[in-house]
Amino acid sequence: MFNIRIGGEAGQGMNTIGTLLAKSLLRMGYHVFTSKDYMSRIRGGHNFSDIRFGSKPLQSGTEKVDILLALNKETWEIHKNSMTESGLLVYDPDDFSPEGDGPEKAGFPFLKKAEEIGDKRIAGVIALGLIHRIFDLSPDHLKKILSEKFSGEILEKNIKGLDLGYQEGEEKFSIKPNPDLKGTKLISGNDAIGFGALVAGVQFYSAYPMTPSTGVLNFLSAQGEKFKILVEQAEDEIAAINMALGASYGGVRAMTGTSGGGFSLMVEGLGLSGITETPLVILNGQRPGPATGLPTRTEQGDLEFVIHASQGEFPRIVLAPRDVFNAFSQTVRAFNLAEKYQLPVIILSDQFLGDSEQTISDFKPEDFKIDRGKLLKDYKEEKPYLRYRYTEDGISPRLIPGAKDQVVLVDSDEHNEAGNIIEDAETRTKMVEKRMKRMEKITEEMEPPLYKGPKPEKVELILVSWGSNFGPVEEARIGLEEEGIKVGHYSFVDIWPLPRGDWEKTLKEKEWALIENNFSGQLGSLLQKREIGYPEFFLKKYDGRPFTGDEIKRRIKEEVANRG
Amino acid sequence: MFNIRIGGEAGQGMNTIGTLLAKSLLRMGYHVFTSKDYMSRIRGGHNFSDIRFGSKPLQSGTEKVDILLALNKETWEIHKNSMTESGLLVYDPDDFSPEGDGPEKAGFPFLKKAEEIGDKRIAGVIALGLIHRIFDLSPDHLKKILSEKFSGEILEKNIKGLDLGYQEGEEKFSIKPNPDLKGTKLISGNDAIGFGALVAGVQFYSAYPMTPSTGVLNFLSAQGEKFKILVEQAEDEIAAINMALGASYGGVRAMTGTSGGGFSLMVEGLGLSGITETPLVILNGQRPGPATGLPTRTEQGDLEFVIHASQGEFPRIVLAPRDVFNAFSQTVRAFNLAEKYQLPVIILSDQFLGDSEQTISDFKPEDFKIDRGKLLKDYKEEKPYLRYRYTEDGISPRLIPGAKDQVVLVDSDEHNEAGNIIEDAETRTKMVEKRMKRMEKITEEMEPPLYKGPKPEKVELILVSWGSNFGPVEEARIGLEEEGIKVGHYSFVDIWPLPRGDWEKTLKEKEWALIENNFSGQLGSLLQKREIGYPEFFLKKYDGRPFTGDEIKRRIKEEVANRG
Amino acid sequence: MVDKKDYQNTEEIAWCPGCGNFAIRLALQEALAELNLEPHQVVIASGIGQAAKAPHYLRINGFNGLHGRAIPVGTSLASIRKDLKVIVESGDGDIYGEGGNHFLHAFRRNPDMALFVHNNQVYGLTKGQASPTSEIGMKTGVQVKGVTNLPLNPLLIALVSGASFVARSFAGDKKHLKTMMQKAIEHKGLAYLDILQPCVTFNKINTFKWYKERVYHLEDDHNPENWEMAVEKAREWGEKIPTGVFYQKERRVFAEDFPELSREEIFDPRERVYCWPELLENYK
Amino acid sequence: MVDKKDYQNTEEIAWCPGCGNFAIRLALQEALAELNLEPHQVVIASGIGQAAKAPHYLRINGFNGLHGRAIPVGTSLASIRKDLKVIVESGDGDIYGEGGNHFLHAFRRNPDMALFVHNNQVYGLTKGQASPTSEIGMKTGVQVKGVTNLPLNPLLIALVSGASFVARSFAGDKKHLKTMMQKAIEHKGLAYLDILQPCVTFNKINTFKWYKERVYHLEDDHNPENWEMAVEKAREWGEKIPTGVFYQKERRVFAEDFPELSREEIFDPRERVYCWPELLENYK
Ligand SMILES: Cc1ncc(C[n+]2csc(CCOP(=O)(O)OP(=O)(O)O)c2C)c(N)n1
Ligand SMILES: Cc1ncc(C[n+]2csc(CCOP(=O)(O)OP(=O)(O)O)c2C)c(N)n1
Ligand code: SF4
Ligand code: SF4
Ligand SMILES: [Mg+2]
Ligand SMILES: [Mg+2]
């Protein structure tokens, strides 16, 4: 397992270099995990990308850097203390000279050499050549990748640069690829969510740009034509959610996506989905708040907000995907749940998950089923169609408007079975009960947290996480196990309504630690309502950065040691 | 204690008749409680007002009707089963003829007589004359009231009508006034909130009309000129809250008001108040949701919503006034708390409280203190002023902008002490902690629920209510006590952060009943987080109507009986 | 042939007797029937207010959504369901006040739908506050000293925003109103029709009589393709108030490249899986 | 005399090198200094975006609020604090997109403040999506086949909404820009100035060069009191783009009856208790 960090100013092309490297590693048969740390600006400042790779699955970033490709001095200053003992700094001596001791250093005049070859933009590729050599990796895959991207003279220059870097490098590390990795893909959380929507058959997506959810908007825009999806950038988030609801009423699968600030503006629309029983999938890619907060950073600060958002009471479902593949499959599921129960389903992601890339195994999109619930294409019964017909389970058949001789009326006021406004106490009571009734069945359908680790009886402590913290916590758990410290791990994805299950009893009996990327412990607060009680230890982080596996491992180790 | 119900179509002038009657009763020395049940339409439909009066304080409506003034047949049909055995129907035989047995009936051709006098609009006053006579009450106060409103010929006709009605009536009931009631006033919850804002020195109020909060907008608009308050109807609720924040930044006390749907639109602005630490008072007059719901009805469905609204984490205070006088005094306090802690304070009222009128004792507005917290009129220290200076208690001195040579910068991004955007982990962490630190002091300041009834050790059951349910629950508790059933009552007003206190221990030990005007038991959910556990009995109501004292009494009596 | 009775339902109407809304309702019913549209082929998207109750008082598809948010609902619906006739119908407070941003941007998109605004120059349902079109000086419970904000001229906003159809009619002129509605419904693109609608309860200034005395039909020599002329006419207000089609010129319709989806395609979006393998290639 | 250095602070500027925003910042600094306004007498209310970072890069009072919401903040501030000069400064996405409803209604109120829009015809901070003023055909990561919605003409919107001051300038014409800013700041009422601001990173169409080739100053014979002329000029876009004051005519300012509050009155609103007893009389 190695971690390569590429750092510099915004605009220096770190993303391109990182992507090329990651793809090359992927094709050679490594597991890859990449993550991004960037500022809310377009040029300047300090950004960096981490590319971790190894022969075992990777689920998190790390605090440690094996190779630092520093595109400027600031990068060196900021990250030098994160380097491992055997770490290596790769830099351009024309940029800066790294003073003092510290890790081994490999200076090479990338820019000068690139200019010699005739295009300064290939400086990065030269560095990649060097890095391939350092890990004793063949540059052939990278050549192939370059040839898929470029052609003619530009391609030639790139290959030349790559070869040059490769020649100049020196082997230092070595790691075997995993021969089983066939057909794996490297994909970001945001793309996975977009992909999930495609597979679910989304036909309408409206959004207003907002970091870190814009990736999904970009993904679907790019695929819109091929997949017959109408994608529209709305004038504001209020329009975005109301457009999506209009489309859903029209019968197609519709989705909207945003981050906390935009979600705030969608709150009234969320309730509209609730009372009209119009299915809707809403992505909230969390970033640190309140208000504008830290636009390009990560946090899990919106859980209780999205659970309780909007006036009045109505059922909703909140799913917090645990990793990249899960982001894909939960998105497909979100559409199915939204239509099965005719309500809003919120996918609670975050910048860490959205912007990280992870290797996923091969899969067939068509294996993921579409379930449109009680949707009717036509209606030919004697009695006129009633949108809110009372039923056993509280779910009324939903007719696509336009069916011959039938009308479909939905209403944001309290209404009767036909959808017409009412004010009487009796109908109101019945309609509230009709809507709320679905909660029971939904609660049954919610999956209990995934348990990882030795049997609960055998562990010292159970780590409890939700959403994207899964990866870092898992890395920590496995690391601890390797050191002989046995801990378990409950990872929540289905978070509202909170599922029932054995986990409740287990947590009541065992000591447990709560790990959340926020200040107040919002999952903890949900657990308290279930009378699970308070955790023995609350590991929280609210500086806008994701946890890393090693960080959690260290903190839990300390905790376990302290508690004797 | 009597209840007079006036019912008819919207537009038939029930409000005017009710107001005259209530004022007359008030001046005669009775306690009065009025409530309104009206539809979301301007003409037609069925509306009614209840005017209860008696010699002891009244805090709720009742299911029973002593006098029904039915302005149309529908009123009679709907309410005939609510009448007491000794009840009396007052009606105009030219309108309809009440068939069958049932209560005593007093028919009188109000309209015809009014026309004879020369103005059909005085039909209502004739009826009032009749009603005064029925209760053996002098019409003199009413004459005085009419003379304050009208003059000349119109006044004469009104007096004539009143006298006529009085002559034609027949004494039936009698009740002594309360000689101690001097200087009492009859005021609605909405006016009380507006009055509270005045007394607190509000100088800016912006809102978008929304039932049931519009009363406060009307009140302040009417007083704006006299009290130098800038009142503006905004183009939408988003503008309303942002305007209020701009004014508050400018140094004046600012407030906005709305109901759930508008509050939804203010959610992002709420977070802006949170991160910029700009004091703001927000009224949310609850009505049944979700979405448009039942616009003119009542519910307590927004508690968890307002507590958790907006992305990210920041302190806020939620106060749910328990009755009309409390609505006044909590509003004054809301302004003080908002400035003391530099955060948003939400007044959680509802249609029941907002539209009900209640007698309140005499008070001196000037006895209510204004505390502007760490507001600085000027700043003359050496070091430049820093809006977000780190302090012991997390509260930074707040300078009114415009102070010579100093600038005041606030920011919705994460920021440093000066208010400038930052992105580093360290400052972020410190700022989160600075903001959240205030929670402890606030929690200490929150008042525990008011306890009413015999000592907890002595009661069978404790009723737990919040906000406007106080009155109905109190009437029930007192009624039960009169029948020998001893119950206690905790009434929450300070609801977020949830106060600490003996009550926690008491509730853990005793059996208790939760009484909420919603479906899911939202206060209950907050109590569960405190590990109070679940109530023995949950009395809920979500039909859009308020509880009445007799209804609660009946239900609790059943419950106590069942539990044996 | 469709009969206007096909649009009749049995709901009790909660408008005040004498309200201008009744005539609008009747005109719409007739307009649709005469266009031979069946109730299931038409959807009304509305907001909240008196006007916005419209879909309840006809037998018709309806999306009675949030205050101010009917335009986005109609926009997506008209684009994803090209087989349906979409009408957005709401009040002046709803469309020009709360929903102002959607109004502004709707013309830029030009979705294929009709937009009918019951403009009574007041907030009816919330009991008489000023709306964005209320006249200066109008006193209300909130505007106690009279309105001071300049009224919006929504026709001008539409014209300068690229509207492809701008018209005005009057609830007291039912035949004209019906014709305008029909033209709007038949127009390809966003057809905006402002309807002067007396509110007998709260607007004591702009009454039936007030409008009747002022309203006139645009003459035959008004050229609706002439934008400058349209602007000039749209500025006329006060002594004389023109009604008719101010402007009409077709242009690109929103989502016009987006295909009309069949009922089957909507119901089963599966057939589109063909390019997944290709897409997955991007990720290796 | 105030020096433009008095407005200098030490914050690192997060704009891209070469961005049009730098010139705007400098022009504002000079404009304010030359008007002899001190930093504590001026407030900038801004939203979110690259442009909206403006208050951080000057030593000045600032309310850097939410995306799209600077106008309401400025409106109340200007009205309750008549002693302060209020400037609302933000981007085109912020003011015309997210904040469109406030833009529309601001002119109706005419609060006494200046409104400076950095119009780079693109969403800069969120990496290059189309803004309401982006030109048809502009390709972006979201508008993959090019923009199809008609761009908004914000000057026309202002003109038809009753704006009392409408102007345009260009970041590449600093002297003109400074003069326009000064005129706007000195105007009594809402002074709206659209500033053409090249975004060197994301807008490859409307570059410095592109604007330079097109921009010209309104001639002396342009009469800014002539509304029709202003509309005509505001419609000009493409080969030639006029800059200057298109329209200026004072009219009632928002909250003009509301008194200027002294610092004491703000700090201690107690003195207003006198009419309580009278008010309490209403309730018996
Ligand atoms: C978000 C929100 N804000 C406010 C309201 C309250 N409200 C309901 S209707 C209305 C105004 C209606 O005016 P208009 O649209 O002109 O319709 P009219 O009743 O005059 O036909 C308002 C403010 C609401 N329902 N939702
Ligand atoms: C409610 C909300 N939605 C979306 C965003 C994301 N966002 C930040 S800046 C911006 C657009 C900026 O464009 P513009 O106002 O033109 O400013 P520029 O960066 O071009 O100067 C957006 C969409 C946000 N911060 N808040
Ligand atoms: S209030 Fe006005 S608009 Fe509403 S129904 Fe009555 S008359 Fe019509
Ligand atoms: S992205 Fe564009 S607008 Fe933003 S700073 Fe860079 S050049 Fe300027
Ligand atoms: Mg209206
Ligand atoms: Mg821009």
Side-chain angles (χ1 to χ4, degrees), chain A residues 155-175:
Chain A
L155 176 62
E156 259 169 52
K157 285 182 186 163
N158 269 284
I159 304 275
K160 216 161 162 182
L162 180 60
D163 283 338
L164 175 70
Y166 191 77
Q167 277 153 31
E168 298 291 330
E170 228 174 282
E171 286 125 42
K172 182 175 160 75
F173 302 112
S174 157
I175 178 172

Side-chain angles (χ1 to χ4, degrees), chain B residues 42, chain C residues 15-16 19 21 50 120 124 197 199-202:
Chain B
I42 306 303
Chain C
W15 290 323
C16 311
C19 174
N21 285 333
Q50 297 284 29
N120 56 7
Q197 173 242 318
C199 165
V200 297
T201 306
F202 294 114

Side-chain angles (χ1 to χ4, degrees), chain B residues 106-121:
Chain B
F108 188 81
F110 300 112
L111 191 64
K112 206 194 297 163
K113 292 291 175 194
E115 278 164 354
E116 281 172 25
I117 294 174
D119 189 340
K120 60 183 181 168
R121 287 172 304 178

